């Protein structure tokens, strides 16, 4: 395959091989082959049905494209490196197969609308993939949280001991972050559902095409209303990159905690052997490389978002070749994000938390100081005053190297007459978490409510993705005949 470019008529001399090497996008857009073939089948059928090309020609084109599509699905379609892009490769392969009638396929369309359409279809499938992996990570976190709904650990601000929380609550915090990502990806669907095909380079076409027909056949909701906007629009690429960056930031934060928590200084968690690595020199080492790689790769996705932003900045309408540079960052980011989500889910499902250690460290560091201040408030002391009293108690504990609950009652009463014997009922850390039963709080009961909510969210997410995927598979089957 190869030969002259599709546009060679106007040129008297051929392209320098280096120019082809410099301009080709086949290295990345070969991944759009399947969607490109689907788009072409829908377009050819429409041309035939609208009487723009003879029905017999449309049939021959669709037949040839279906063979090519099957080869693409079997991994047998090899465009080679000497073509300009996947759109040319498929058109050339078609003409090689069915003869010059293959040249009728490109009536009333251009590669500008093809590339925008292919990329949107690809992005729709890829967003569904990301959503599916997100749902499974949320499910893994929720399941772990339900095993640890009542286990106490230190809650941190500034990475300093703040208040006791439940491990279930902490894990659910990650689940909620990711659920918000899931909703953000779902809300991308409207922008992915506007079909650019038939914009015909930039200005529309003189042929009586039926854009509703191609839009429906390819699973879009409607054809785009402005052909210039349609071919120049890469907002969906930026949006997908932005949303993936956000998800990767969330994964990076989760990974950072796994790295910290698996260190001997924390000793909160043991990552399973299957998701750890060793050292070539230090025989004792077990390293959290998977978590570190996820944290590291979040940088590449954020970088891709910035690179795409800079690529489209200041482009005049409509298509400019700069836009070819959209595919690498987008495709790479999808693959990195899905890979990281899958590894994070596997790591979370298989890790073991040391709940004894988590509880014992939460008994140090005065995590119950706020509870003592709240206790004083219930005895009528204004919160600001209570804060000062407890601060002084903590100072005394630091001097005496003890915990608040180790001070005898009379020592506590020297700080405030409002403190009674019942103070010892509220100081144990399990009591602190149990009593934080406000909506969204850390109590085991509240965590169970969060889990119940998230379990139904996971079910809804799975159903949404499954339905969308089967709808899309039905579309491809119809086009493949
Ligand atoms: N390879 C091109 C891209 O990815 C396809 C569109 C080419 N259009 C053009 N006018 N050169 O953007």
């Amino acid at each position: 395959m190869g030969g002259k470019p599709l546009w060679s008529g106007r040129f008297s001399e051929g392209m320098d091989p280096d120019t082809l090497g410099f301009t080709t996008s086949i290295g990345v857009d070969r991944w759009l082959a399947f969607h490109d073939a689907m788009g072409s089948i829908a377009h050819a059928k429409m041309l035939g049905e609208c009487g723009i090309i003879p029905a017999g020609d449309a049939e021959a084109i669709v037949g040839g494209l279906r063979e090519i599509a099957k080869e693409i699905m079997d991994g047998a379609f090899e465009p080679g490196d000497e073509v300009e892009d996947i759109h040319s490769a498929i058109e050339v392969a078609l003409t090689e197969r069915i003869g010059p009638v293959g040249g009728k396929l490109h009536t009333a369309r251009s590669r500008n609308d093809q590339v925008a359409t292919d990329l949107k279809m690809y992005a729709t499938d890829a967003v569904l993939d990301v959503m599916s992996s997100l749902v499974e990570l949320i499910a893994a976190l929720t399941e772990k949280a339900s095993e640890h709904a009542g286990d106490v650990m230190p809650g941190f601000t500034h990475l300093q001991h703040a208040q006791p929380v439940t491990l279930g609550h902490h894990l659910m915090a990650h689940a909620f972050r990711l659920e918000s990502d899931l909703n953000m990806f779902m809300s991308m669907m409207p922008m992915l559902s506007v079909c650019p095909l038939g914009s015909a380079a930039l200005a529309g076409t003189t042929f009586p095409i039926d854009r509703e027909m191609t839009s429906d056949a390819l699973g879009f909701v409607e054809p785009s209303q402005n052909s210039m906007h349609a071919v120049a629009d890469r907002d969906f690429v930026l949006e997908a990159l932005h949303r993936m960056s956000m998800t990767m930031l969330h994964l990076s934060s989760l990974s950072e905690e796994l790295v910290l928590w698996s260190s001997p200084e924390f000793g909160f968690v043991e990552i399973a052997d299957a998701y750890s690595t060793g050292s070539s020199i230090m025989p004792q080492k077990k390293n959290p490389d998977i978590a570190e790689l996820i944290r590291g790769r979040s940088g590449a996705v954020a970088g891709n978002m910035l690179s795409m932003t800079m690529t489209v900045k200041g482009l005049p309408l409509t298509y400019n070749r700069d836009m070819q540079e959209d595919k690498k960052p987008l495709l790479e980011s999808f693959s990195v994000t899905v890979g990281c989500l899958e590894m994070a889910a596997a790591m979370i499902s298989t890790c073991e938390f040391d709940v004894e250690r988590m509880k014992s460290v939460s008994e140090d560091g005065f995590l119950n100081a706020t509870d003592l201040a709240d206790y004083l408030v219930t005895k009528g002391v204004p919160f600001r005053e209570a804060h000062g009293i407890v601060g002084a108690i903590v100072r005394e504990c630091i001097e005496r190297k003890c915990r608040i609950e180790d001070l005898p009652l009379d020592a506590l009463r020297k700080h405030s007459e409002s403190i009674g014997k019942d103070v010892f009922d509220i100081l144990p850390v399990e009591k602190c978490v149990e009593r934080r039963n406000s909506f969204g709080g850390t109590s085991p009961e509240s965590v169970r409510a969060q889990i119940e909510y998230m379990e139904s969210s996971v079910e809804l997410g799975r159903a949404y993705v499954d339905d969308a995927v089967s709808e899309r598979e039905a579309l491809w089957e119809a086009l493949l005949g």
Side-chain angles (χ1 to χ4, degrees):
M1 196 183 299
K4 289 184 182 166
L6 298 177
W7 38 259
S8 55
R10 182 230 182 273
F11 291 79
S12 45
E13 278 173 32
M15 210 189 329
D16 186 283
D18 287 346
T19 305
L20 176 63
F22 187 78
T23 54
T24 182
S25 52
I26 196 69
V28 275
D29 64 18
R30 62 177 68 230
W31 299 109
L32 303 180
F34 179 76
H35 295 96
D36 195 76
M38 294 300 104
S40 289
I41 293 175
H43 183 70
K45 282 176 124 187
M46 181 277 291
L47 290 177
E49 281 178 42
C50 293
I52 298 168
I53 61 173
D57 291 354
E59 248 169 62
I61 293 173
V62 169
L65 286 168
R66 281 177 175 162
E67 279 176 27
I68 294 174
K70 285 184 184 127
E71 278 179 24
I72 294 168
M73 288 191 289
D74 296 342
F77 183 73
E78 246 318 316
D81 292 328
E82 69 289 357
V83 286
E84 232 193 333
D85 54 33
I86 192 64
H87 325 295
S88 321
I90 290 182
E91 188 182 321
V92 169
L94 177 70
T95 306
E96 277 170 7
R97 237 163 258 236
I98 66 167
V101 69
K104 295 196 176 185
L105 170 63
H106 213 56
T107 314
R109 76 168 190 187
S110 89
R111 285 183 298 164
N112 298 351
D113 28 332
Q114 270 182 282
V115 71
T117 308
D118 295 356
L119 204 54
K120 263 194 182 172
M121 288 196 281
Y122 183 96
T124 306
D125 287 338
V127 163
L128 287 168
D129 257 5
V130 172
M131 286 175 68
S132 165
S133 327
L134 259 170
V135 169
E136 295 318 315
L137 174 56
I138 296 168
L141 284 160
T142 308
E143 201 178 322
K144 268 287 166 200
S146 72
E147 288 166 27
H148 297 292
D151 291 324
V152 182
M153 64 171 286
F156 300 91
T157 60
H158 314 269
L159 203 56
Q160 301 291 323
H161 280 199
Q163 292 181 359
V165 294
T166 47
L167 173 55
H169 195 53
H170 192 119
L171 292 169
M172 287 310 291
H174 285 292
F176 274 96
R177 278 179 163 181
L178 296 164
E179 193 221 15
S180 141
D181 293 338
L182 182 65
N183 293 333
M184 295 293 268
F185 280 109
M186 202 180 291
S187 69
M188 269 199 73
M189 289 305 170
M191 79 191 309
L192 289 171
S193 70
V194 177
C195 183
L197 189 62
S199 295
L202 77 162
T205 173
T206 54
F207 293 100
I209 56 173
D210 184 342
R211 295 192 56 214
E212 294 275 350
M213 194 187 289
T214 41
S215 165
D216 280 357
L218 296 171
F220 291 95
V221 173
E222 57 190 346
S224 52
Q225 297 197 52
N226 181 301
S227 58
M228 294 177 77
H229 170 54
V231 292
D233 177 27
R234 292 296 183 273
D235 291 0
F236 67 98
V237 175
L238 279 170
E239 201 58 40
L241 287 169
H242 181 244
R243 284 160 204 225
M244 283 190 273
S245 306
M246 186 88 97
T247 296
M248 289 301 296
L249 292 184
H250 293 155
L251 287 188
S252 182
S253 158
L254 174 66
S255 300
E256 167 68 5
E257 286 187 348
L258 288 172
V259 171
L260 275 177
W261 290 11
S262 61
S263 70
E265 284 70 21
F266 273 83
F268 285 2
V269 73
E270 165 117 30
I271 299 173
D273 285 1
Y275 304 106
S276 307
T277 55
S279 155
S280 59
I281 175 168
M282 297 165 279
Q284 86 287 7
K285 292 278 280 175
K286 179 171 172 185
N287 295 328
D289 290 29
I290 312 305
E292 289 169 332
L293 283 168
I294 295 175
R295 190 177 59 188
R297 287 179 191 166
S298 65
V301 176
N304 283 340
M305 178 184 70
L306 190 62
S307 118
M308 183 60 195
T309 308
M310 291 302 105
T311 298
V312 295
K313 178 189 144 305
L315 290 186
L317 289 172
T318 55
Y319 179 83
N320 302 276
R321 193 67 178 262
D322 317 43
M323 288 157 73
Q324 176 168 295
E325 302 304 289
D326 56 2
K327 282 167 277 300
K328 187 168 172 288
L330 185 69
L331 271 51
E332 179 186 272
S333 299
F334 276 129
S335 136
V336 167
T337 305
V338 170
C340 290
L341 283 166
E342 286 173 353
M343 288 309 269
M347 244 189 325
I348 290 292
S349 317
T350 53
C351 70
E352 296 280 346
F353 289 99
D354 186 342
V355 293
E356 293 304 314
R357 161 121 181 121
M358 288 175 128
K359 169 145 190 276
S360 90
V361 299
S362 64
E363 284 165 348
D364 295 326
F366 314 106
L367 285 121
N368 50 6
T370 313
D371 295 76
L372 180 53
D374 288 353
Y375 166 89
L376 285 166
V377 169
T378 65
K379 304 287 176 184
V381 180
F383 183 79
R384 191 48 54 219
E385 202 178 306
H387 188 284
I389 294 168
V390 178
I393 293 174
V394 167
R395 214 166 48 236
E396 181 175 340
C397 289
I398 293 170
E399 275 158 21
R400 292 167 69 153
K401 293 198 172 31
C402 70
R403 300 176 303 181
I404 299 176
E405 52 274 43
D406 298 331
L407 287 178
L409 184 58
D410 55 342
L412 287 166
R413 283 174 65 80
K414 275 195 197 122
H415 291 276
S416 169
E417 287 291 306
S418 302
I419 299 179
K421 194 155 81 334
D422 57 350
V423 74
F424 295 106
D425 299 335
I426 59 105
L427 290 174
V429 284
E430 331 56 288
K431 286 286 169 344
C432 300
V433 297
E434 221 171 273
R435 296 173 68 248
R436 276 183 172 66
N437 207 15
S438 54
F439 185 78
T442 197
S443 73
E445 195 185 325
S446 160
V447 172
R448 276 189 285 271
Q450 296 172 40
I451 289 170
E452 210 173 295
Y453 162 84
M454 200 56 86
E455 282 170 349
S456 61
S457 194
V458 162
E459 281 321 306
L460 286 174
R462 280 188 183 133
Y464 177 91
V465 173
D466 287 351
D467 285 355
V469 168
S470 11
E471 253 177 52
R472 294 180 74 69
E473 276 166 6
L475 288 174
W476 313 144
E477 262 170 44
L479 288 165
L480 287 166

